[in-house]
Amino acid sequence: MKVREMFACPKCGEPLEFGAGQCPKCQVRLDPATGKVRENVSDHELHASMEAARQKGKTGLIMMIPGIIMISVGFMIGSTFGIIVAIAGTVLALFGYGKSYNAKVNFKKELGNTMIPQVLSEIFENVEFQEAGKISEDIINNTEMHFNFTFNRISGNDYLKARYKGVDLEMSDITLDLVTTYTERDSDGDTETREEVSTKFNGQWIIFDFHKKLVADLNVYEGKKLFERNKIQTENEAFNKKYGIACDDEHSAFYVLTPHMMEHILKMDDMAGGNTYLRFQKDGKVHMAVSNNKNLFEIKNIKEASIDSLRGQFRNEIRYVTDMVDQILSEETVFAK
Amino acid sequence: MVAIIILVAIAAIVIWAINTVNGFKRREIKIDEALSGIEVALTKRYDMLTKLLDTAKGFMAHETELFTRIIALRKGMSVGEMGEADRQMGEITGRLFAVAEGYPELRSSEVFVELQKGIRDAEEHLQAARRLYNSNVTGYNTAIAMFPASILAGGRTPKEFYEAEAGKREDVKVAL
């Protein structure tokens, strides 16, 4: 009996047969001869993967159609036979949906191992990208961002750690949910625990380290209460109206919020398309959370996308972050070099 | 019943008057605090500039014009006097950096680079202190001018804004 040589995937640890060209779990491409991660994958190979994902997606959707028909027919027939047909149809439809969904997810994972790090490395230094990673929950919980909501569950993906023009940054897509658990009692007296999830924030969380220490922490936040008037009033009326400003030291607020900085924040908020929350910390880090209901590096429509269009899309998404750093590093802010 | 209403109305007016006058006082204290912040920032900038000029002297001894200007900085200066001192320091700093362009050894010296950063930091703090002061003055001047609070403003007059004018240039004697 031939003994198959096995090895562990260098990225996720999944057991693989020696000679495997790709890990089925994390989708990382491997050199079949050495088992090591292949850093450079050609556009031709990516295109082939994309086509395979499209086909699987199509197949999945096609499988859903008879499944849905079987569910409808089953309910129309009624009786035991109808229920069996409906259940079979449900299984088929779910299987088809799963196949279509997984095709897209797996292709996204592959991009996360190949194209996305390549695009990021063109723009940033010391790139570390984890498609399934996110900013640490401890950081998010301890940052004391001035949110006008509470949350008790954090999820996210597309974690990036890198350096741009001397500024260290971390970012990821983040979703903050408020999960409420309650118990329902039915007429028989049986209780059932249910969960209600309310999404309070969905967007990006970015941490910049400008290495510029401050005297006090400063919060700038959208969504202040009606008729809430800031204790700290800057000379920019539009800024005072739009944002709440909270800081223990008035001088520090004016120190950070220069006229140019306030203009940058207003402009960048317009571009972001969602509520913006900023926290300038004493240690020099600036946390920015933008609740724009957008996820970075997502494949919106795999049927119409191409490798080049995806590359262009990812570059554009990152430009928002680099433009922000460029503006903050410009002459008229305290973070300028 | 009418008497109670009248009493309540009088009480409300008295409370309002107390709050308004206290509000004026609070704003005056904030303005004094902010002015003190400007003094601190100006002093820090002056100290940095002095050290920078001392460092530069060693490299450009013959640039006598740069080292023969006097900026008088003392405690309790008026807003106008502070503004004038601020303007003069800005002028000297600008000239020093312009002349330093011709002295690569000076520009590359560690001490000079550090002092340059220090002056920039001091200027940023001065700008913040200036803006905070003016913001408090705006609030105060508005409060004493608005009816009906203006009735209680009494002899209070609007405060002077801080302006670092780029106005007329004079030959000012400077001693370090």
Side-chain angles (χ1 to χ4, degrees), chain A residues 233 235 250-251 254-255 257, chain B residues 30 120-121 125 131 135:
Chain A
Q233 292 283 311
E235 59 276 72
E250 259 192 294
H251 176 91
F254 277 85
Y255 177 67
L257 297 175
Chain B
K30 281 185 81 173
R120 190 199 152 96
D121 187 56
H125 278 285
R131 290 170 54 227
S135 168

Side-chain angles (χ1 to χ4, degrees), chain A residues 290-331:
Chain A
V290 184
S291 186
N292 54 12
N293 283 321
K294 290 178 190 164
N295 286 332
L296 295 184
F297 310 131
E298 294 303 318
I299 307 163
K300 290 169 183 71
N301 187 347
I302 197 167
K303 281 183 242 171
E304 289 170 16
S306 67
I307 297 300
D308 286 338
S309 71
L310 284 175
R311 202 174 265 126
Q313 175 197 316
F314 298 156
R315 281 197 188 110
N316 278 340
E317 285 172 354
I318 283 302
R319 188 167 295 135
Y320 167 73
V321 176
T322 56
D323 282 353
M324 207 179 340
V325 175
D326 288 337
Q327 285 180 357
I328 291 175
L329 290 179
S330 69
E331 275 298 307

